[in-house]
Amino acid sequence: MAQLNRRAMLQFSAGAGLTATTLNGAQAHERQISTTAEALDSLAPRMRLAGVPLTDIEAVRAKAPALNGWTQAWTEIAERHLGAAQELLTEGYVQPAGEHHQQAAMAYHFARLIPGDDKTTQQAAELAVTIGADALALLDPGHCQLTDSAVLRYPPFAEGAAPLAVLVADIGAAKEELAHRADALLKRGVACVTVDSDPSTSLAALLRDTVVGDQRVDLARVEIDRISVESPRAEIDLARI
């Protein structure tokens, strides 16, 4: 099993196929990826940090030995979570239903990482965003959709204005991968903005236009961290906020 302190980036090109660049400290190792097992060994640390259950990872390993089954295997995982969510909602269990929606969104998100046919990959990308929004509506109905690419969430039991952590999904990542980390910070009393990086949008302008004036957030205590596939850990220093 890949160690959680390894950092890996998968790249696809028509000529070279799928390759993984693994960073161990200052050393970079590039290798060809030809099976699902090899792809999972590279991506598992990133998936686990994003909150993907180990059981889902191992189910994909068993379902799709060949890479051409990757997207379908993750799609089936997503559909299983959605089915469980629907059953739970029917019985009135909103919180666990929201958690299954969140897992479905993550499955669709990772389904698109290894290119299949363009239509299937695009559908997975769209479903990741749509179902991720459904998950938030169930898990955190008080969240604030700042823009299409940014969400502000408030800690549930904050007394007064809460410190703010801004998690930016930078190169190669997506804000859907940040929900699990945001959950952990919210439980510690920290408000969170998760946002997709957009070179055309100033992060300072986004916060100025959407968060300034919000009495539930203490803008004197703000920590910003950019999270990419090369550096997937959120190094938020709670002592500084």
Side-chain angles (χ1 to χ4, degrees), residues 11 13 20 28 35 41 62 71 86 101 103 121 125 144 148 150-151 160 186 196 203 205 220 234:
Q11 296 176 306
S13 65
T35 67
D41 285 345
T71 302
Q86 188 56 52
H101 271 85
Q103 294 303 335
T121 301
C144 181
D148 288 343
V151 173
L186 290 163
D196 285 322
L203 184 58

Side-chain angles (χ1 to χ4, degrees), residues 156-175:
F157 306 111
E159 296 182 3
L164 177 66
V166 182
L167 305 181
V168 183
D170 211 347
I171 302 170
K175 73 178 185 303

Side-chain angles (χ1 to χ4, degrees), residues 32-219:
Q32 202 76 15
I33 296 294
S34 58
T35 67
T36 292
E38 291 172 344
L40 287 173
D41 285 345
S42 292
L43 283 171
R46 176 178 169 187
M47 291 175 173
R48 296 294 287 138
L49 285 169
V52 177
L54 182 60
T55 52
D56 287 356
I57 295 171
E58 294 307 315
V60 170
R61 192 188 301 270
K63 282 175 177 286
L67 281 175
N68 59 10
W70 174 276
T71 302
Q72 181 59 35
W74 279 109
T75 296
E76 290 176 8
I77 294 292
E79 291 171 348
R80 188 195 72 204
H81 280 296
L82 289 176
Q86 188 56 52
E87 290 181 12
L88 288 164
L89 279 175
T90 300
E91 298 172 6
Y93 298 109
V94 174
Q95 179 77 18
E99 292 169 356
H100 276 289
H101 271 85
Q102 193 171 71
Q103 294 303 335
M106 290 308 308
Y108 279 124
H109 169 65
F110 283 108
R112 69 179 180 81
L113 288 193
I114 294 180
D117 65 86
D118 291 342
K119 182 179 180 181
T120 302
T121 301
Q122 181 61 31
Q123 284 177 339
E126 292 171 357
L127 285 167
V129 174
T130 300
I131 294 170
D134 292 343
L136 264 184
L138 293 168
L139 293 170
D140 190 357
H143 76 277
C144 181
Q145 190 76 42
L146 301 179
T147 67
D148 288 343
S149 60
V151 173
L152 169 61
R153 299 174 64 190
Y154 305 96
F157 306 111
E159 296 182 3
L164 177 66
V166 182
L167 305 181
V168 183
D170 211 347
I171 302 170
K175 73 178 185 303
E176 286 73 30
E177 293 184 47
L178 308 181
H180 185 65
R181 277 165 270 193
D183 287 342
L185 289 167
L186 290 163
K187 290 175 182 176
R188 300 182 69 174
V190 179
C192 286
V193 170
T194 53
V195 57
D196 285 322
S197 183
D198 183 351
S200 66
T201 301
S202 162
L203 184 58
L206 169 67
L207 297 177
R208 181 191 65 226
D209 295 343
T210 58
V211 179
V212 170
D214 189 331
Q215 299 301 311
R216 291 169 291 183
V217 176
D218 183 357
L219 292 181

